[in-house]
Amino acid sequence: MAVECAEIRRHHRVGTKNVAGICLPTNVKFQSPACSSIDAEETVEPYTTEKMNRVPGGYLALTECFEIMTVDFNNLQELKSLATKKPGKIGIPVIKEGILDAVVVWFVLQLDDEHSLSTSPSVETCWEQAIYPVHDLADYWIKPGDHVMMEVSCQDCYLRIQNISVFGSEREVGAGKNFTQDKDLLSLGSEAELCSALANLQTSKPDAVEQTCILESTEIALLNNSLYHEGFKMAMRKVLSSLTPEKLCQAMDTQCQNEMSCGSEESNSEESIPEPFYVLDVSEGFSILPIIAGTLGQVKPYSSVEKDQHRITLDLISEANHFPKETLEFWLRHVEDESAVLQRPKSDKLWSIIILDVIEPSGLIQQEIMEKAAISRCLLQSGGKIFPQYVLMFGLLVESQTLVEESAVQGTERTLGLNIAPFINQFQVPIRVFLDLSSLPCIPLSKPVELLRLDLMTPYLNTSNREVKVHICKSGQVTAIPFWYHMYLDDEIRLDTSSEASHWKQAAVVLDNPIQVEMGEELVLNVQHHKSNVSITVKQ
C-alpha cells in the first residue's frame, strides 16, 4: 500500500533548501541508498525496513492494500522466469489525500491450502515490512481520483518497485525531470507563455554540474534537523566571538559576501589579512558544519569526509553560497596517516574548534571518544573548545514485555515444548540499540534521572562509576532501562538525542530477570563507563 509517513520522509528526502543559512543548490540531489537504481555501481537492497505499527508518528494509508505478484516456490520454471521477466506496471487508485512518502510491502506465506503466515503491519509478527521510499516527484500531494503508478520487477533477486508516478484526471507527476518539464509545457495556456518557457529551457546553463549524493538515512535525517545545525552555528559563533573580543564575529550572508568580493581593492596586501581561526569537523559521515563555520568570519574550516561524492557535493554547496575558492579544505588530504586524524592544522598553529562525534546513531557512545577528547584538548588554542563540551546520559525504569520477548527466548510454550532457550540466550546482547522510545510499547515506572556525565573539556568532572537512586513512581515490574543523551555544546545550547527531530536512536539495557517494585520505593542503579562501554546494573 502507498502511505504518508513523516518519519520515513525525513529519513529519505531532504525537505529543506536552507540549513542554518546555507543554501542547498538545486543541482545537488540527495538520495538514500534505498532509492538507488538497478544500474547503480554498488548492488544495494532497493528498500529499507520498518515495523510500521511502531514507527514514530504512525502512518496514513493512502491506498487500499494491493497484490504486487504471486510466486510459486514449487514451480521451478516460474522462478527462473522472474530473472528475465520485464517490469510489470501497476496502477492503484488513491482513497485518501495526503503526501506520498513510500510504498510499504509485506507478504502472505501460504504454507498449504489451510495455513498461512502474514508479515502485515496489522498483525503482531516478528517481521518488519519492506519500505520503498518515493522520490523525484514534482508534487508529492495526492488525492482521491489520482492513481499511483509503479513498475515492479525481480530481475536481480531483489523485489524492485521503481518509476513511481502519480496519474490523475488533471495532471501526471512523473519521476523524471525532463518528463515534468514536458508536461509543464503542454499545460501552458498561451503562445507567449510557451515561447517564454522554451527560452528559459534554452538559456539554462549547459555546463551546470548535476550531482547525486547518496546519504545514509540517518545522514538525511541529520540534514533535515534544523535545531542541530542552528545549535552548532550559535555555539561556534560564541566561541569565535570570545576569541576576538574587539569585534563580534557575525555571520555573513550571501549579499554581504558578494559586496565584499566586489568592493575589495587589489592593493590590499596579504600582510593585512588576519590569521584565520581553524575549525576541524571530525564527525563521521556527511556534515555541512564546516561550511556553516565558514560563514562566521575569518575561519578556515576543515572537513573529514572520506567519500569523493561527498567532497564534490560540499564543494558545490560552497560554490552555491559564494565561498571563495579553497575556503573549505578536506583534512584527510593533509594527513599522511588516516588513523591519526587529530593533528595540528599547521606546525605552528592550533585549532579554535574541534567537532567530535560522541554518540553513534544507534544510541551508544562512540568507541575511544574520551581518548580522542584527550588528544583534542592538547590541540586547542587558548580559549578553543571541543564540541560537544560535555554529555549527560539520562535513563528511566520501564516495564516492557516487548523488549523482554525481543531480547531472549521465553520458556518452551512458543517453541512447541522444545527447550532451546538455554542455548539461544547465550548469544543475547546486553544492550538493545536503534530503539524509538517514543513508540516503544512500555510503561514508565520512574521519571528520567541523570546516569552519567562525560566531560570532554574538563575530564576531572567525569563520573565513570556511580550509584544512582531512582524513585519509583508506579508499581510494576522493571524489565528494562532505556537511555539517551543531552549533548551540551555549551552551558546554554543543548541537543537532545531523544527529540522528535533527532537523527539518533535510543538504546536500552534489558534485565535478565524482572524486578517487582512498588510506588514510593527506591531502586539503586550502579552505572559504569569503561573504554566507551556503559553497563547498568541494579544493586540489590
Side-chain angles (χ1 to χ4, degrees):
M1 64 182 171
V3 301
E4 173 182 323
C5 180
E7 184 72 3
I8 293 175
R9 186 188 319 141
R10 77 181 186 96
H11 278 86
H12 295 277
R13 289 207 301 266
V14 176
T16 180
K17 297 179 180 178
N18 187 294
V19 181
I22 299 299
C23 170
L24 301 181
T26 56
N27 61 330
V28 173
K29 182 174 73 171
F30 295 100
Q31 281 188 184
S32 70
C35 298
S36 300
S37 67
I38 194 172
D39 300 322
E41 293 181 3
E42 297 182 11
T43 302
V44 294
E45 293 177 340
Y47 52 82
T48 183
T49 60
E50 291 278 357
K51 260 191 174 300
M52 291 302 293
N53 60 1
R54 214 187 291 174
V55 69
Y59 67 93
L60 174 66
L62 303 178
T63 67
E64 299 281 6
C65 303
F66 55 91
E67 183 178 313
I68 291 178
M69 66 170 60
T70 299
V71 179
D72 185 352
F73 289 98
N74 291 309
N75 187 329
L76 184 60
Q77 191 63 35
E78 181 178 326
L79 292 175
K80 288 181 178 179
S81 69
L82 284 176
T84 57
K85 192 175 182 180
K86 291 183 178 180
K89 294 186 178 181
I90 298 178
I92 307 300
V94 176
I95 60 171
K96 289 185 180 179
E97 65 177 357
I99 301 171
L100 178 58
D101 292 316
V103 174
V104 179
V105 173
W106 64 90
F107 301 90
V108 176
L109 311 174
Q110 200 71 39
L111 305 180
D112 57 26
D113 292 338
E114 298 179 2
H115 302 91
S116 64
L117 297 173
S118 173
T119 69
S120 166
S122 62
V123 178
E124 192 56 46
T125 173
C126 61
W127 283 289
E128 296 181 330
Q129 291 76 46
I131 310 299
Y132 293 81
V134 178
H135 60 101
D136 284 350
L137 295 186
D139 184 6
Y140 292 89
W141 185 262
I142 60 176
K143 63 184 187 303
D146 294 338
H147 281 71
V148 178
M149 315 296 292
M150 66 196 75
E151 292 183 358
V152 179
S153 66
C154 196
Q155 295 177 335
D156 58 346
C157 299
Y158 288 116
L159 175 62
R160 291 185 178 272
I161 298 178
Q162 294 181 303
N163 297 329
I164 299 175
S165 60
V166 179
F167 178 81
S169 56
E170 302 174 357
R171 57 172 186 158
E172 185 172 353
V173 183
K177 181 178 178 181
N178 294 333
F179 180 92
T180 305
Q181 288 177 341
D182 292 344
K183 288 298 176 182
D184 288 343
L185 290 177
L186 292 176
S187 66
L188 293 172
S190 68
E191 184 179 353
E193 289 174 321
L194 179 60
C195 292
S196 175
L198 288 172
N200 288 335
L201 288 177
Q202 292 170 353
T203 56
S204 60
K205 292 184 180 179
D207 58 345
V209 178
E210 294 284 341
Q211 172 68 13
T212 297
C213 183
I214 306 297
L215 299 181
E216 296 297 327
S217 59
T218 53
E219 293 174 319
I220 291 180
L222 173 58
L223 205 51
N224 282 321
N225 189 344
S226 60
L227 293 177
Y228 175 94
H229 294 97
E230 290 290 352
F232 267 98
K233 184 176 183 178
M234 291 171 57
M236 289 191 290
R237 180 188 286 123
K238 288 166 71 173
V239 170
L240 297 175
S241 296
S242 70
L243 298 174
T244 54
E246 71 279 0
K247 61 178 181 177
L248 288 178
C249 184
Q250 297 179 340
M252 298 187 299
D253 58 21
T254 301
Q255 181 179 355
C256 292
Q257 291 184 18
N258 289 337
E259 290 175 355
M260 288 179 65
S261 61
C262 294
S264 61
E265 298 185 7
E266 295 180 2
S267 60
N268 290 342
S269 62
E270 291 185 4
E271 288 77 10
S272 66
I273 299 176
E275 187 68 28
F277 296 111
Y278 294 94
V279 175
L280 174 63
D281 178 11
V282 290
S283 55
E284 295 185 6
F286 185 82
S287 171
I288 65 167
L289 292 180
I291 298 180
I292 294 174
T295 67
L296 300 176
Q298 196 68 25
V299 175
K300 185 65 176 175
Y302 287 82
S303 167
S304 64
V305 295
E306 300 179 18
K307 296 180 180 179
D308 288 338
Q309 60 161 318
H310 290 176
R311 294 178 180 179
I312 294 171
T313 299
L314 289 176
D315 278 336
L316 290 174
I317 295 174
S318 298
E319 181 182 336
N321 287 273
H322 305 284
F323 268 42
K325 201 165 185 179
E326 308 301 331
T327 296
L328 176 66
E329 296 268 9
F330 297 105
W331 181 235
L332 295 183
R333 292 176 179 171
H334 300 265
V335 179
E336 294 182 3
D337 182 5
E338 292 189 9
S339 65
V341 174
L342 293 170
Q343 303 178 22
R344 287 170 174 255
K346 294 181 180 179
S347 60
D348 60 338
K349 303 298 178 185
L350 293 169
W351 300 102
S352 301
I353 295 172
I354 297 178
I355 301 170
L356 298 179
D357 240 351
V358 180
I359 309 301
E360 297 178 359
S362 65
L364 296 180
I365 297 172
Q366 286 276 5
Q367 292 296 303
E368 300 181 348
I369 187 59
M370 301 313 292
E371 292 83 350
K372 292 177 182 177
I375 298 173
S376 298
R377 287 193 295 271
C378 300
L379 301 174
L380 291 175
Q381 72 170 90
S382 177
K385 300 293 182 184
I386 298 172
F387 286 152
Q389 295 188 35
Y390 62 94
V391 175
L392 299 182
M393 176 179 169
F394 287 85
L396 79 162
L397 309 178
V398 302
E399 179 177 335
S400 175
Q401 189 61 26
T402 297
L403 280 180
V404 170
E405 293 178 357
E406 292 181 354
S407 299
V409 178
Q410 306 297 313
T412 61
E413 181 181 348
R414 301 184 187 185
T415 54
L416 303 179
L418 298 174
N419 188 24
I420 65 172
F423 173 73
I424 294 294
N425 291 346
Q426 293 181 59
F427 304 99
Q428 70 181 101
V429 294
I431 297 179
R432 286 289 308 279
V433 295
F434 286 108
L435 297 175
D436 282 301
L437 187 55
S438 64
S439 59
L440 176 70
C442 67
I443 302 171
L445 303 180
S446 74
K447 292 182 179 179
V449 294
E450 182 184 322
L451 299 177
L452 195 67
R453 178 187 176 104
L454 299 177
D455 201 306
L456 282 68
M457 284 297 299
T458 317
Y460 68 84
L461 295 177
N462 286 330
T463 53
S464 60
N465 192 338
R466 65 181 299 201
E467 289 187 351
V468 180
K469 291 183 178 180
V470 185
H471 183 75
I472 304 300
C473 300
K474 184 180 180 64
S475 300
Q477 282 194 328
V478 179
T479 61
I481 308 167
F483 56 88
W484 62 95
Y485 311 88
H486 289 174
M487 295 172 42
Y488 285 83
L489 306 183
D490 59 30
D491 289 334
E492 298 175 346
I493 302 175
R494 183 192 76 184
L495 301 175
D496 184 351
T497 67
S498 68
S499 70
E500 289 184 3
S502 172
H503 68 288
W504 290 286
K505 301 294 186 181
Q506 295 80 57
V509 172
V510 181
L511 303 185
D512 292 333
N513 299 298
I515 299 175
Q516 184 67 40
V517 294
E518 301 296 330
M519 186 173 65
E521 293 180 348
E522 280 189 343
L523 212 58
V524 179
L525 304 179
N526 185 273
V527 184
Q528 294 185 341
H529 175 246
H530 180 64
K531 292 185 178 180
S532 304
N533 294 315
V534 174
S535 68
I536 305 173
T537 56
V538 179
K539 186 175 180 181
Q540 292 180 311

